[in-house]
Amino acid sequence: TVELTKSMRNTNLDQVELLKNIRMGNSVQNSLKDIVAMSEAYSDKLDWTHLCATNKDVDSRNKKCYTKLKTKEQVFKGKVTGSREAVTKELRVPIDLKLKLDMRVMITYNSANGDYVNGNTGVIKDLGIDYITVLLDSGEEVFVVRETFPVIKYTCDGGIIRRTQVASLTQFPIVAGWACSIHKAQGSTLDRCVINLGKYTFADHLFYVGISRVKDMRNLSFVRTPVVSDV
């Protein structure tokens, strides 16, 4: 068993302790009150990525915001090897990627040179043939290039776990960034986000994953103020 003890995403010790309390079920109500108190008040004009409990809420917000954007749509065709069905089911990036200038996006890959990482959000400023220019929320302008995403199947053979690539997709690592499911945001680091639980969240851990995606919980907002009671 390996226990990870150092927080790499959030380095504010007081905030790390609040997250620990919620994760461990200690003083949950008080910790939650402190997090809500330091968070940003919600407004629909707040141009931050929404982390949603359901894909329905994700699709609804992304579609609404994409439709409102009046810039010209461009479609980038991805290259699939192997099973197209496996690519569609397993990968976060669409095979045919529809993008517009001024579109809010999320990057879903760590660049080889470190210019951008999985979870970076920003706005598209140029659509080239071989690269897409994104102005990150941090203020940096980066050039996003195509990457190859493998689809891996794991099998157990005589007690040994074997890893087999069954398909792959070569495409720009970009998705609509107005909203993302909390589930798909696991592993991502966001500069700021809005938590949208809809009417409910069907698993307690989804709430924790959502609020722990940001580097600083002062850059967190809630569509609906959560209410949690200590058990």
Side-chain angles (χ1 to χ4, degrees), residues 131-180:
Y131 64 87
I132 293 171
T133 306
V134 177
L135 178 63
L136 299 179
D137 291 336
S138 62
E140 301 174 75
E141 193 171 79
V142 297
F143 302 101
V144 182
V145 298
R146 289 181 177 85
E147 304 286 355
T148 298
F149 298 83
V151 178
I152 305 299
K153 181 180 179 181
Y154 294 91
T155 57
C156 184
D157 182 8
I160 299 175
I161 302 297
R162 301 196 182 280
R163 185 177 184 270
T164 304
Q165 181 173 315
V166 296
S168 68
L169 169 66
T170 300
Q171 181 58 281
F172 289 108
I174 288 176
V175 295
W178 291 286
C180 174

Coordinates of all heavy atoms in Angstrom, one line a residue, residues 131-180:
Y131 N -2.0 23.8 -35.8 CA -2.1 24.2 -34.4 C -3.3 25.2 -34.1 O -3.8 25.8 -35.1 CB -0.8 24.9 -34.0 CG -0.5 26.2 -34.7 CD1 -1.0 27.4 -34.2 CD2 0.3 26.3 -35.9 CE1 -0.8 28.6 -34.8 CE2 0.5 27.5 -36.5 CZ 0.0 28.6 -36.0 OH 0.2 29.8 -36.6
I132 N -3.7 25.2 -32.9 CA -4.7 26.1 -32.5 C -4.2 27.0 -31.3 O -3.6 26.5 -30.4 CB -5.9 25.3 -32.0 CG1 -6.6 24.5 -33.1 CG2 -7.0 26.2 -31.3 CD1 -7.6 23.5 -32.7
T133 N -4.4 28.3 -31.5 CA -3.9 29.2 -30.5 C -4.9 29.4 -29.4 O -6.1 29.8 -29.7 CB -3.5 30.6 -31.2 OG1 -2.6 30.4 -32.2 CG2 -2.9 31.5 -30.1
V134 N -4.5 29.2 -28.2 CA -5.5 29.3 -27.0 C -4.9 30.3 -26.1 O -3.7 30.2 -25.7 CB -5.7 28.0 -26.3 CG1 -6.6 28.2 -25.1 CG2 -6.3 27.0 -27.3
L135 N -5.6 31.3 -25.7 CA -5.3 32.3 -24.6 C -5.7 31.7 -23.3 O -6.9 31.6 -23.0 CB -5.9 33.6 -24.9 CG -5.6 34.7 -23.8 CD1 -4.1 35.0 -23.7 CD2 -6.3 36.0 -24.1
L136 N -4.8 31.2 -22.5 CA -5.2 30.5 -21.2 C -5.7 31.5 -20.2 O -5.4 32.7 -20.3 CB -4.0 29.8 -20.7 CG -3.4 28.7 -21.5 CD1 -2.2 28.1 -20.8 CD2 -4.4 27.6 -21.8
D137 N -6.5 31.1 -19.3 CA -7.0 32.0 -18.2 C -5.9 32.6 -17.4 O -6.0 33.6 -16.8 CB -7.9 31.2 -17.3 CG -9.2 30.8 -18.0 OD1 -9.6 31.5 -19.0 OD2 -9.9 29.8 -17.6
S138 N -4.7 31.9 -17.4 CA -3.5 32.5 -16.7 C -2.9 33.6 -17.4 O -2.0 34.3 -16.8 CB -2.5 31.3 -16.5 OG -2.0 30.9 -17.8
G139 N -3.3 33.9 -18.7 CA -2.8 35.0 -19.4 C -1.8 34.6 -20.5 O -1.4 35.4 -21.3
E140 N -1.3 33.4 -20.5 CA -0.4 32.9 -21.4 C -1.1 32.4 -22.7 O -2.2 31.9 -22.7 CB 0.4 31.7 -20.9 CG 1.2 32.0 -19.6 CD 1.8 30.8 -19.0 OE1 2.8 30.3 -19.6 OE2 1.3 30.3 -18.0
E141 N -0.4 32.7 -23.8 CA -0.9 32.2 -25.1 C -0.1 31.0 -25.5 O 1.1 31.0 -25.6 CB -0.8 33.3 -26.2 CG -1.5 33.0 -27.5 CD -1.5 34.2 -28.4 OE1 -0.5 34.5 -29.1 OE2 -2.6 35.0 -28.4
V142 N -0.8 29.9 -25.9 CA -0.1 28.6 -26.2 C -0.6 28.1 -27.6 O -1.7 28.5 -28.0 CB -0.3 27.6 -25.1 CG1 0.3 28.0 -23.8 CG2 -1.8 27.2 -25.0
F143 N 0.2 27.3 -28.2 CA -0.1 26.7 -29.5 C -0.4 25.2 -29.2 O 0.6 24.5 -28.9 CB 1.0 26.9 -30.5 CG 1.3 28.4 -30.7 CD1 2.4 29.0 -30.1 CD2 0.5 29.1 -31.5 CE1 2.7 30.3 -30.3 CE2 0.8 30.5 -31.7 CZ 1.9 31.1 -31.1
V144 N -1.6 24.8 -29.4 CA -2.0 23.4 -29.1 C -1.9 22.6 -30.4 O -2.5 23.0 -31.4 CB -3.4 23.3 -28.6 CG1 -3.8 21.9 -28.2 CG2 -3.6 24.2 -27.3
V145 N -1.2 21.5 -30.4 CA -1.0 20.7 -31.6 C -1.7 19.3 -31.4 O -2.2 19.0 -30.3 CB 0.5 20.4 -31.8 CG1 1.3 21.7 -32.0 CG2 1.1 19.7 -30.6
R146 N -1.8 18.6 -32.5 CA -2.5 17.3 -32.4 C -1.7 16.3 -31.6 O -0.5 16.3 -31.6 CB -2.7 16.7 -33.9 CG -3.7 17.5 -34.7 CD -3.9 16.8 -36.1 NE -4.9 17.5 -36.8 CZ -4.7 18.6 -37.6 NH1 -3.5 19.1 -37.6 NH2 -5.7 19.1 -38.3
E147 N -2.4 15.5 -30.9 CA -1.8 14.4 -30.1 C -2.5 13.1 -30.4 O -3.6 13.1 -30.9 CB -1.9 14.7 -28.6 CG -1.3 16.0 -28.2 CD 0.2 16.0 -28.1 OE1 0.8 15.0 -28.4 OE2 0.7 17.1 -27.9
T148 N -1.8 12.0 -30.1 CA -2.4 10.7 -30.3 C -2.8 10.1 -29.0 O -2.0 9.9 -28.1 CB -1.4 9.7 -31.0 OG1 -1.1 10.2 -32.3 CG2 -2.1 8.3 -31.2
F149 N -4.2 9.8 -28.9 CA -4.7 9.2 -27.7 C -4.9 7.7 -27.9 O -5.7 7.3 -28.7 CB -6.1 9.9 -27.4 CG -6.1 11.3 -27.1 CD1 -6.0 12.3 -28.2 CD2 -6.0 11.8 -25.8 CE1 -6.0 13.6 -27.9 CE2 -6.0 13.2 -25.6 CZ -6.0 14.1 -26.6
P150 N -4.3 6.9 -27.0 CA -4.5 5.4 -27.2 C -5.7 5.0 -26.4 O -6.1 5.6 -25.4 CB -3.2 4.9 -26.6 CG -2.8 5.9 -25.5 CD -3.2 7.2 -26.1
V151 N -6.3 3.9 -26.9 CA -7.4 3.2 -26.1 C -6.7 1.9 -25.7 O -6.4 1.1 -26.5 CB -8.6 3.0 -26.9 CG1 -9.6 2.2 -26.1 CG2 -9.2 4.3 -27.4
I152 N -6.7 1.7 -24.3 CA -5.9 0.6 -23.8 C -6.9 -0.4 -23.2 O -7.8 -0.1 -22.5 CB -4.9 1.0 -22.7 CG1 -4.0 2.1 -23.3 CG2 -4.2 -0.2 -22.2 CD1 -3.1 1.6 -24.5
K153 N -6.7 -1.7 -23.5 CA -7.5 -2.8 -22.8 C -6.5 -3.6 -21.9 O -5.4 -3.9 -22.3 CB -8.0 -3.7 -23.9 CG -8.9 -4.9 -23.3 CD -9.4 -5.8 -24.4 CE -10.2 -6.9 -23.9 NZ -10.8 -7.8 -24.9
Y154 N -7.0 -3.8 -20.7 CA -6.2 -4.5 -19.7 C -6.8 -5.9 -19.5 O -8.0 -6.0 -19.3 CB -6.2 -3.7 -18.4 CG -5.5 -2.4 -18.4 CD1 -6.2 -1.2 -18.7 CD2 -4.1 -2.3 -18.2 CE1 -5.5 0.0 -18.8 CE2 -3.4 -1.1 -18.3 CZ -4.1 0.0 -18.6 OH -3.5 1.2 -18.7
T155 N -5.9 -6.9 -19.5 CA -6.3 -8.3 -19.2 C -5.4 -8.9 -18.2 O -4.3 -8.5 -18.0 CB -6.3 -9.1 -20.5 OG1 -5.0 -9.1 -21.1 CG2 -7.3 -8.6 -21.5
C156 N -5.9 -9.9 -17.5 CA -5.1 -10.6 -16.5 C -4.8 -12.0 -17.1 O -5.7 -12.8 -17.4 CB -5.9 -10.7 -15.2 SG -4.9 -11.5 -13.9
D157 N -3.5 -12.3 -17.1 CA -3.1 -13.5 -17.7 C -2.1 -14.2 -16.7 O -0.9 -13.8 -16.6 CB -2.4 -13.3 -19.1 CG -1.9 -14.6 -19.7 OD1 -2.2 -15.6 -19.3 OD2 -1.2 -14.4 -20.7
G158 N -2.6 -15.2 -16.0 CA -1.7 -15.9 -15.1 C -1.3 -15.1 -13.9 O -0.1 -15.2 -13.5
G159 N -2.1 -14.1 -13.5 CA -1.7 -13.2 -12.4 C -0.9 -12.0 -12.9 O -0.6 -11.2 -12.1
I160 N -0.7 -11.9 -14.2 CA 0.0 -10.7 -14.7 C -0.9 -9.8 -15.5 O -1.7 -10.3 -16.3 CB 1.2 -11.2 -15.7 CG1 2.2 -12.1 -14.9 CG2 1.9 -10.0 -16.3 CD1 3.2 -12.7 -15.8
I161 N -0.9 -8.6 -15.2 CA -1.7 -7.6 -15.9 C -1.1 -7.2 -17.2 O 0.1 -6.7 -17.2 CB -2.0 -6.3 -15.1 CG1 -2.6 -6.7 -13.7 CG2 -2.8 -5.3 -15.8 CD1 -4.0 -7.3 -13.8
R162 N -1.8 -7.5 -18.3 CA -1.2 -7.1 -19.6 C -2.0 -6.0 -20.2 O -3.2 -5.8 -20.1 CB -1.3 -8.4 -20.5 CG -0.6 -9.6 -20.0 CD -0.3 -10.6 -21.0 NE 0.4 -11.8 -20.5 CZ 1.7 -11.8 -20.3 NH1 2.5 -10.8 -20.6 NH2 2.2 -12.9 -19.8
R163 N -1.2 -5.1 -20.9 CA -1.7 -3.9 -21.5 C -1.7 -3.9 -23.0 O -0.6 -4.1 -23.6 CB -0.9 -2.7 -21.0 CG -1.3 -1.3 -21.3 CD -0.3 -0.3 -20.6 NE -0.7 1.0 -20.8 CZ -0.3 1.8 -21.9 NH1 0.5 1.3 -22.7 NH2 -0.6 3.0 -22.0
T164 N -2.9 -3.8 -23.6 CA -2.9 -3.9 -25.1 C -3.6 -2.7 -25.7 O -4.7 -2.3 -25.2 CB -3.7 -5.2 -25.5 OG1 -3.1 -6.3 -24.9 CG2 -3.7 -5.3 -27.0
Q165 N -3.0 -2.1 -26.7 CA -3.7 -0.9 -27.3 C -4.6 -1.5 -28.4 O -4.2 -2.2 -29.3 CB -2.6 0.0 -28.0 CG -3.3 1.2 -28.7 CD -2.2 2.2 -29.1 OE1 -1.3 2.5 -28.4 NE2 -2.4 2.7 -30.4
V166 N -5.9 -1.1 -28.3 CA -6.9 -1.7 -29.2 C -7.3 -0.6 -30.3 O -8.0 -0.9 -31.3 CB -8.1 -2.2 -28.5 CG1 -7.8 -3.3 -27.6 CG2 -8.8 -1.1 -27.6
A167 N -7.0 0.7 -30.0 CA -7.4 1.7 -30.9 C -6.6 3.0 -30.5 O -6.0 3.1 -29.5 CB -8.9 2.0 -30.9
S168 N -6.7 4.0 -31.4 CA -6.1 5.3 -31.1 C -6.8 6.4 -31.9 O -7.4 6.1 -32.9 CB -4.6 5.3 -31.3 OG -4.3 5.3 -32.7
L169 N -6.7 7.6 -31.4 CA -7.3 8.8 -32.1 C -6.2 9.9 -32.1 O -5.7 10.2 -31.1 CB -8.5 9.3 -31.4 CG -9.1 10.7 -31.8 CD1 -9.5 10.6 -33.3 CD2 -10.2 11.2 -30.9
T170 N -5.9 10.4 -33.3 CA -5.0 11.6 -33.4 C -5.9 12.8 -33.7 O -6.6 12.8 -34.7 CB -4.0 11.4 -34.5 OG1 -3.2 10.2 -34.3 CG2 -3.1 12.6 -34.6
Q171 N -5.9 13.7 -32.7 CA -6.8 14.9 -32.8 C -6.2 16.0 -31.9 O -5.4 15.7 -31.0 CB -8.2 14.5 -32.3 CG -9.2 15.5 -32.3 CD -9.4 16.2 -33.7 OE1 -8.6 17.0 -34.1 NE2 -10.5 15.8 -34.4
F172 N -6.7 17.2 -32.0 CA -6.3 18.3 -31.1 C -6.9 17.9 -29.7 O -8.1 17.6 -29.7 CB -6.9 19.6 -31.6 CG -6.2 20.2 -32.8 CD1 -6.8 20.2 -34.1 CD2 -4.9 20.7 -32.7 CE1 -6.2 20.7 -35.2 CE2 -4.2 21.2 -33.8 CZ -4.9 21.2 -35.1
P173 N -6.1 18.1 -28.7 CA -6.6 17.7 -27.3 C -7.4 18.9 -26.7 O -7.1 19.5 -25.7 CB -5.3 17.5 -26.5 CG -4.3 18.4 -27.2 CD -4.7 18.4 -28.7
I174 N -8.6 19.1 -27.3 CA -9.4 20.3 -27.0 C -10.9 19.8 -26.9 O -11.3 19.1 -27.8 CB -9.2 21.4 -27.9 CG1 -7.9 22.1 -27.8 CG2 -10.3 22.5 -27.8 CD1 -7.6 23.2 -28.8
V175 N -11.6 20.3 -25.9 CA -13.0 20.1 -25.8 C -13.7 21.4 -25.4 O -13.0 22.3 -24.9 CB -13.4 19.0 -24.8 CG1 -12.9 17.6 -25.3 CG2 -12.9 19.3 -23.4
A176 N -15.0 21.5 -25.6 CA -15.7 22.6 -25.2 C -15.5 22.8 -23.7 O -15.6 21.9 -22.9 CB -17.2 22.5 -25.5
G177 N -15.2 24.0 -23.3 CA -14.8 24.3 -21.9 C -15.8 25.1 -21.0 O -15.4 25.5 -19.9
W178 N -17.0 25.3 -21.5 CA -17.9 26.0 -20.6 C -18.4 25.0 -19.5 O -18.7 25.5 -18.4 CB -19.2 26.4 -21.5 CG -18.9 27.5 -22.4 CD1 -18.7 28.8 -22.1 CD2 -18.8 27.4 -23.8 NE1 -18.4 29.5 -23.3 CE2 -18.5 28.7 -24.4 CE3 -18.9 26.3 -24.7 CZ2 -18.3 28.9 -25.7 CZ3 -18.7 26.5 -26.1 CH2 -18.4 27.8 -26.6
A179 N -18.4 23.7 -19.8 CA -18.8 22.8 -18.7 C -18.1 21.4 -19.0 O -17.8 21.1 -20.1 CB -20.3 22.6 -18.7
C180 N -18.0 20.7 -17.8 CA -17.3 19.4 -17.9 C -17.9 18.6 -16.7 O -18.3 19.2 -15.7 CB -15.8 19.5 -17.7 SG -14.9 18.0 -17.6

